[in-house]
Amino acid sequence: MRPIFSFVLTFIISLAANYIIISSGYWYLEIISGAVFSALFCRSTALGFISTLLSGIFAALIYVYPLIQIGAMNILNVTGKIAGINGSILFAIMLLISGLLPASGALIAIPLKIQFYKKQK
Amino acid sequence: MKFKKKDVISVVLGALMILLILTIGSVTPLVSLLNPESGVVQNSKNLIYKNQTIKIPGLYDQVTVIQDKNGIYHIYASNDHDLFLALGYIQAKNRLFQMEVFALTGLGNLSSWLGSSFNLYDRFWTLTGGPLTAENDWQSVLLNASVNSIDAQTVVALEAYSQGINDYIAYAKANNLLPITFKLLSVQPFNWTPLDSFAVQEVMASSLEFGDDALLFSMLYNKLGNSVYQLIPTFSPVPQYYYAGYNGELNQYVLKVSENTYPVNQTVAGLAYQVAKMWDPPSWVVNAHVPENSNEWVVSGNRSATGKPILVGGPVLSFSLPAIWFQVQLVDPNYDVYGVMLPGAPAIIIGFNNHIAWTLTDTEAISWGTFFWMQEVKGNNYYWKGSWYPVKSYHINGIRVNWTNLGPIMAQNGSAALVMTWMGNKISNDLGVLLRIMNISNWEQFRTALESWYVPYQNFAFADNNTIADISAGYYPVFNSTNGLPYNPSAIMPGNGVEYISGSIPYNMIAQIVNPASGFIVSSNQRQVGPSYPYWYGNTMSFSAGFRAMMEFNYLNTHDNYTINDMEELQSKNYTDYEAATTVPYIIRYLSNSSNSTVQEALSYLKNWNYNMNENSKAATIWFFTYELLFNETFIPYLYSHGFLPDYKDLFYPSGLGGSWPDTQGLPSLDEDMAYMIEKGNASPFSNETMSYLLQEAVVRTMDYVQEEYPNGNFTWGHFYGFYFPSLLGISAISVGPLSRGGDYNTPNDASGGGPESNWPSGGQSWIMVVNLKNISDSFGVYPGGQSEDPASPLYANYIDYWMNGTYLPLYYINSSGAFPRSLIMDTIIMLPGDGS
């Protein structure tokens, strides 16, 4: 599969999976989602990392968008004030965590998959 | 198998990232707070105010809840059960964290949520008996519900209310909508029970009627001897307005009791010090530092422009965000009542119904209902009237609490035990009395209901269409002695049985008045009864100094045809300092011959002053600092020379105007002494200096200070005075203020505070209400805060601006949901019996 296709495929499937995972509340499961789908469709660690990172970020963004429209930024700003952090930075951290969880799964899974195939050969 | 280096790096990096996120997630709440599904962003769903229909377990029938355009809830139900269930649900939706913090405070279990720094406070509160009494109160209500209608009413209300709260907790948990404070602290709400409401009642009772004055008095007596009676006189040396009369000859028996203080030795004084040190709760605990500054007055129809009574309420409490009050109208076939209630206790405390209006202030009588005894305790036995009896032990919150017949042992050294009798520990159902008051219709019913009221001692001002009245309800103990003359109950008493509580002041003898000839009643924490009252009623230590009451009395006495607007102006915008009005003319007289140019400059301001503590007044600043410095020059050296200071400096270092100076304490007696000394022109016996000399020193130091602070000469009072509204847990980021405003300790809008170092009050009139008995729907009120505890909500602190400006909001009193004008509705919630979806 051409790298661009594997990138897009990983991104789309991970995005859907991450959205479902976020909806369930078990955020950490994104690690497994990133690992599984990057390992399935990507041969390049870099591509897998980027596609799952973006899928996690966009999944969170799509999930919280309706909440942003009804005042989630107010809540984040207040929480940020209490914690001494800007609300926008908290928002960015939320997206980053949501991206890094599957991306870290990808970083582990893809090299292991490559080694596994090497061994098979 | 051989890994390439870059693969190894990739795996290690991935593992490290996971480890880092997991670590952050386990040691901080950050990851759970930011979880898009269960974290704080979900709380934005609570920021939408829209019509909705919800199904609630336990409801019998449909309930309609209308939130009016100001955010006030109006609950319309078809039976009491549904009414209180809906109330619990709505209150929890808006104040769950605050309610549970109040309950934990009352149960002595704050540290379970807020950490070990609250262990000492939990221990103190558990020792006082508060948690035990809450349990006993509820058990007594359950036991008597079949024979006592008030108790039966209480059971219905509290059980339904608890279910409503728990329904909301279940809903909030299922939908990740718990308030953000729960998420920040990583704690879960506990299920509410009626016991928690009684715990809230105990906290409120302690905030209003619980004091360590008797300990301080004994420590002062220990150092000053009989001179303490000059420092803390039984009756005020300056004129007072006693609403319930008894202005005749001084009752000699009462005076003798007041000046018959039991002498304590150093061991006992040490125990008193130990207990008094424990007394101060964390500053944010519900109304931890309640100043004696509340206001209430009621005027009759023949003095009002409406031709019917007007009732004005302004209870002073510590501020917090969310505020102490929750504003609501409750309507069902038994109730149609409007007012404010405490989160956690489902009874309207101040408000009105179709027939009557009422408001409350603290009586502050009888040493705050808190008495101390020196009792002998050996092993597990205490001594009483020649015999030894076993101490009763209770294990509460992991603490062993020992009680004698007089109350809990607060401290012990060898066999010397300091035992406390607090009226708040008497088993009573004061919450039930409030529920009863909510649906009665005339003075006789009101007075009868209050016969069951024990604590906190409150002045209940009352008005209906034709009657104005006030009654200082409560269980006021009467002291007796086998030796004839009892010792002063405002100090530690001997606990060997010689002195004892023989009963209480008969109900028809407690302070009260109905339709006085003057056409008005003022009861603003001043002493209610004059010197001829035949019962011992406390000394000047606890009652307000009375200057505010005198100002209000003078206004009402010299005006007529009061309008609603007049009453609002008097309550919120009248900054006349009565003490200044009575003493500044003397100050000007004493200093008029001074050749000191600084003094003359100060006098030029004071001579043109109208005694209003306005924000833009420079004379107000001069008066405040001159008074404070004069106070210090007079009392502080005296207390040092008698050895009270510095021994007890960390416990009691007084300043004037109710302790308005930073890090000091107030004592009304000393403000009354000060005013009296200024008027008579000398400071004896507290200082040998002449009043002119002391005043000149104070004025010069004042002018030096203000000119140093404001070299441009702009030392207006607004730079030194205003209000601060702290968040419940003291988090400054979600607190409001300080905001400049006029007033001071002696004006109606206020609490003590002011002066340097931004020592601005964080207490004041926690609810201002003017009820028009001509047309009850034409009544007004506001409290400084908002209905929601969510700091992101537009309803978190939206009333503060109104309160600061003295602007009252209309109290929409609408008897049926169908009659509610659409233009006044923010949103409507239809509650149906169901599964909570």
Side-chain angles (χ1 to χ4, degrees):
Chain A
M1 199 187 300
R2 290 172 64 179
I4 184 69
F5 289 144
S6 67
F7 177 88
V8 171
L9 197 59
T10 307
F11 173 75
I12 291 172
I13 294 178
S14 294
L15 180 72
N18 287 337
Y19 185 88
I20 293 166
I21 287 168
I22 288 172
S23 310
S24 75
Y26 298 103
W27 208 10
Y28 288 125
L29 286 183
E30 281 194 337
I31 298 170
I32 294 167
S33 137
V36 169
F37 294 113
S38 63
L40 276 178
F41 304 117
C42 285
R43 286 184 192 167
S44 155
T45 309
L47 276 185
F49 175 81
I50 293 169
S51 65
T52 52
L53 179 82
L54 291 176
S55 72
I57 290 173
F58 277 97
L61 201 56
I62 293 167
Y63 188 80
V64 299
Y65 181 70
L67 300 175
I68 296 290
Q69 287 190 310
I70 57 172
M73 280 314 294
N74 285 347
I75 299 273
L76 284 169
N77 283 334
V78 165
T79 310
K81 259 165 91 176
I82 294 169
I85 307 171
N86 186 294
S88 302
I89 292 176
L90 272 186
F91 183 58
I93 293 172
M94 179 175 76
L95 296 182
L96 192 62
I97 292 173
S98 193
L100 287 177
L101 286 169
S104 59
L107 281 181
I108 295 171
I110 294 171
L112 290 178
K113 182 191 84 171
I114 291 167
Q115 286 303 316
F116 177 77
Y117 277 120
K118 273 186 186 171
K119 197 179 169 190
Q120 295 290 313
K121 283 175 186 173
Chain B
M1 185 167 69
K2 194 178 176 190
F3 275 91
K4 282 185 184 170
K5 192 177 174 187
K6 66 170 188 175
D7 290 342
V8 173
I9 291 172
S10 173
V11 170
V12 169
L13 193 61
L16 282 176
M17 279 164 52
I18 292 170
L19 193 66
L20 181 69
I21 294 171
L22 288 175
T23 306
I24 292 172
S26 60
V27 299
T28 75
L30 187 70
V31 177
S32 62
L33 280 176
L34 295 180
N35 186 320
E37 168 58 18
S38 58
V40 292
V41 287
Q42 289 295 327
N43 290 67
S44 54
K45 290 175 184 166
N46 269 346
L47 299 181
I48 306 174
Y49 297 96
K50 62 173 187 183
N51 295 344
Q52 53 183 316
T53 300
I54 50 178
K55 290 181 179 171
I56 297 185
L59 275 185
Y60 297 158
D61 212 337
Q62 177 181 320
V63 177
T64 302
V65 181
I66 293 175
Q67 189 170 21
D68 72 30
K69 66 177 189 176
N70 293 324
I72 314 306
Y73 288 98
H74 305 255
I75 303 176
Y76 300 92
S78 58
N79 59 73
D80 288 356
H81 168 86
D82 286 357
L83 184 71
F84 288 101
L85 193 150
L87 172 66
Y89 190 93
I90 288 295
Q91 235 182 35
K93 183 173 187 277
N94 288 274
R95 301 285 185 91
L96 182 62
F97 183 77
Q98 183 188 29
M99 291 159 75
E100 298 222 326
V101 163
F102 283 4
L104 285 176
T105 308
L107 294 169
N109 209 6
L110 268 176
S111 52
S112 64
W113 274 16
L114 303 177
S116 56
S117 59
F118 289 86
N119 282 345
L120 274 181
Y121 182 70
D122 281 345
R123 183 175 180 278
F124 167 71
W125 180 244
T126 303
L127 269 184
T128 65
L132 185 64
T133 306
E135 174 71 34
N136 289 340
D137 281 346
W138 172 234
Q139 291 306 325
S140 163
V141 167
L142 279 178
L143 197 66
N144 296 317
S146 59
V147 291
N148 181 309
S149 64
I150 288 183
D151 289 342
Q153 205 171 356
T154 308
V155 171
V156 169
L158 288 187
E159 289 187 338
Y161 177 72
S162 300
Q163 181 168 1
I165 295 169
N166 295 334
D167 284 348
Y168 182 75
I169 290 173
Y171 171 80
K173 278 183 173 174
N175 293 280
N176 299 310
L177 287 175
L178 286 176
I180 62 170
T181 0
F182 283 98
K183 295 175 179 176
L184 280 165
L185 292 174
S186 301
V187 292
Q188 288 291 311
F190 52 86
N191 269 358
W192 195 267
T193 69
L195 169 64
D196 296 311
S197 292
F198 275 97
V200 172
Q201 178 193 280
E202 278 298 298
V203 173
M204 199 60 194
S206 75
S207 299
L208 296 173
E209 210 69 57
F210 186 44
D212 58 356
D213 281 5
L215 301 176
L216 179 60
F217 196 96
S218 280
M219 286 185 274
L220 282 163
Y221 185 74
N222 189 247
K223 297 287 188 185
L224 274 59
N226 285 341
S227 300
V228 76
Y229 305 123
Q230 289 169 307
L231 194 72
I232 301 173
T234 303
F235 295 97
S236 176
V238 292
Q240 295 277 312
Y241 162 72
Y242 306 111
Y243 89 76
Y246 294 98
N247 291 294
E249 289 261 316
L250 177 66
N251 186 302
Q252 291 301 324
Y253 171 79
V254 169
L255 186 65
K256 278 182 189 164
V257 171
S258 300
E259 298 191 350
N260 182 35
T261 301
Y262 177 61
V264 295
N265 57 28
Q266 275 311 110
T267 304
V268 180
L271 288 175
Y273 174 79
Q274 189 184 325
V275 174
K277 281 293 285 176
M278 291 196 294
W279 212 266
D280 276 345
S283 59
W284 56 267
V285 167
V286 202
N287 308 306
H289 303 287
V290 179
E292 55 285 322
N293 288 41
S294 296
N295 302 283
E296 70 180 24
W297 62 85
V298 55
V299 299
S300 68
N302 57 13
R303 300 282 306 250
S304 77
T306 64
K308 292 291 177 185
I310 301 173
L311 179 134
V312 179
V316 166
L317 297 169
S318 297
F319 292 142
S320 70
L321 289 173
I324 183 78
W325 298 116
F326 188 75
Q327 195 174 335
V328 70
Q329 181 182 4
L330 302 176
V331 185
D332 78 353
N334 287 325
Y335 295 101
D336 188 355
V337 60
Y338 189 114
V340 287
M341 55 174 54
L342 293 175
I348 284 181
I349 294 179
I350 296 174
F352 54 87
N353 63 28
N354 261 325
H355 310 281
I356 69 165
W358 71 95
T359 185
L360 280 67
T361 57
D362 234 9
T363 73
E364 298 172 1
I366 305 202
S367 201
W368 303 98
T370 318
F371 310 98
F372 294 90
W373 314 79
M374 197 58 249
Q375 197 164 21
E376 202 177 348
V377 176
K378 283 184 182 166
N380 285 327
N381 296 297
Y382 66 86
Y383 183 79
W384 180 255
K385 289 189 175 174
S387 302
W388 291 88
Y389 300 90
V391 165
K392 267 191 185 172
S393 291
Y394 303 91
H395 282 89
I396 304 163
N397 299 327
I399 297 164
R400 186 177 162 192
V401 185
N402 293 324
W403 284 53
T404 74
N405 61 319
L406 296 169
I409 298 172
M410 298 300 290
Q412 193 169 347
N413 184 347
S415 64
L418 190 59
V419 180
M420 179 179 77
T421 301
W422 173 42
M423 290 303 127
N425 278 332
K426 280 196 86 67
I427 294 173
S428 60
N429 180 14
D430 307 299
L431 198 54
V433 174
L434 289 171
L435 288 168
R436 177 82 188 96
I437 285 174
M438 280 161 51
N439 69 350
I440 64 177
S441 55
N442 61 51
W443 165 243
E444 278 313 313
Q445 291 174 343
F446 190 82
R447 188 178 178 280
T448 303
L450 285 176
E451 201 161 356
S452 306
W453 182 272
Y454 277 27
V455 279
Y457 304 152
Q458 295 290 294
N459 305 303
F460 285 80
F462 170 95
D464 66 16
N465 228 352
N466 300 303
T467 307
I468 64 167
D470 208 318
I471 182 164
S472 303
Y475 183 94
Y476 301 98
V478 171
F479 293 83
N480 237 312
S481 170
T482 55
N483 283 348
L485 189 68
Y487 282 110
N488 173 16
S490 280
I492 296 169
M493 295 173 279
N496 56 4
V498 169
E499 180 141 352
Y500 57 95
I501 293 174
S502 58
S504 64
I505 297 178
Y507 193 57
N508 64 355
M509 283 301 293
I510 66 168
Q512 55 199 290
I513 196 164
V514 184
N515 290 328
S518 63
F520 65 84
I521 306 163
V522 174
S523 187
S524 297
N525 297 141
Q526 83 278 22
R527 188 182 173 105
Q528 295 82 29
V529 288
S532 68
Y533 189 61
Y535 295 93
W536 178 83
Y537 202 62
N539 58 27
T540 50
M541 216 172 174
S542 55
F543 299 104
S544 158
F547 299 117
R548 234 169 349 96
M550 284 299 284
M551 190 279 270
E552 291 155 2
F553 168 84
N554 273 356
Y555 177 94
L556 295 170
N557 204 31
T558 54
H559 291 71
D560 235 323
N561 290 320
Y562 325 118
T563 63
I564 298 295
N565 190 50
D566 289 340
M567 298 297 93
E568 291 177 356
E569 295 270 322
L570 175 59
Q571 184 178 37
S572 286
K573 294 182 183 170
N574 193 318
Y575 301 141
T576 306
D577 183 321
Y578 181 84
E579 191 178 11
T582 52
T583 56
V584 167
Y586 290 96
I587 293 173
I588 293 169
R589 192 192 309 163
Y590 301 144
L591 296 180
S592 57
N593 293 330
S594 169
S595 56
N596 185 311
S597 60
T598 306
V599 171
Q600 288 307 323
E601 186 191 351
L603 288 188
S604 68
Y605 286 105
L606 292 177
K607 280 175 181 171
N608 296 312
W609 188 34
N610 60 2
Y611 315 118
N612 278 353
M613 302 299 288
N614 287 324
E615 264 182 277
N616 57 2
S617 169
K618 293 181 187 176
T621 305
I622 294 172
W623 147 255
F624 175 86
F625 284 101
T626 298
Y627 182 89
E628 288 290 353
L629 292 169
L630 177 67
F631 185 103
N632 284 358
E633 289 167 8
T634 308
F635 292 113
I636 300 302
Y638 174 80
L639 290 171
Y640 264 103
S641 67
H642 284 76
F644 185 83
L645 297 175
D647 283 10
Y648 301 124
K649 188 178 178 180
D650 58 337
L651 188 69
F652 181 71
Y653 192 95
S655 76
L657 295 169
S660 287
W661 208 254
D663 303 320
T664 62
Q665 291 75 40
L667 197 58
S669 315
L670 304 192
D671 282 313
E672 290 163 55
D673 293 341
M674 194 73 253
Y676 180 63
M677 286 185 287
I678 295 173
E679 287 178 21
K680 75 176 181 174
N682 72 67
S684 67
F686 308 111
S687 173
N688 294 327
E689 303 291 352
T690 64
M691 185 53 73
S692 301
Y693 173 82
L694 291 169
L695 272 169
Q696 176 152 321
E697 288 290 302
V699 167
V700 169
R701 283 178 59 200
T702 292
M703 295 307 286
D704 287 349
Y705 173 72
V706 297
Q707 280 162 358
E708 189 185 314
E709 287 290 302
Y710 292 92
N712 60 2
N714 188 25
F715 52 85
T716 52
W717 181 230
H719 287 108
F720 300 97
Y721 193 76
F723 290 89
Y724 184 66
F725 305 89
S727 73
L728 183 64
L729 297 183
I731 300 166
S732 59
I734 50 173
S735 301
V736 173
L739 304 170
S740 285
R741 187 182 175 180
D744 74 350
Y745 169 70
N746 288 324
T747 62
N749 69 315
D750 176 59
S752 57
E757 300 170 37
S758 297
N759 179 46
W760 295 13
S762 56
Q765 291 190 114
S766 58
W767 163 240
I768 47 176
M769 176 184 80
V770 178
V771 182
N772 177 1
L773 273 296
K774 165 85 173 177
N775 173 11
I776 213 127
S777 299
D778 185 36
S779 299
F780 300 85
V782 73
Y783 66 84
Q787 292 281 81
S788 170
E789 69 178 350
D790 183 345
S793 165
L795 302 180
Y796 175 64
N798 56 319
Y799 303 146
I800 286 181
D801 283 348
Y802 294 106
W803 187 89
M804 286 297 294
N805 297 328
T807 305
Y808 291 64
L809 293 172
L811 307 179
Y812 302 121
Y813 181 66
I814 295 163
N815 305 119
S816 74
S817 58
F820 223 105
R822 282 186 161 211
S823 59
L824 298 182
I825 297 176
M826 180 188 290
D827 61 69
T828 302
I829 303 171
I830 303 294
M831 296 179 171
L832 298 172
D835 59 359
S837 57

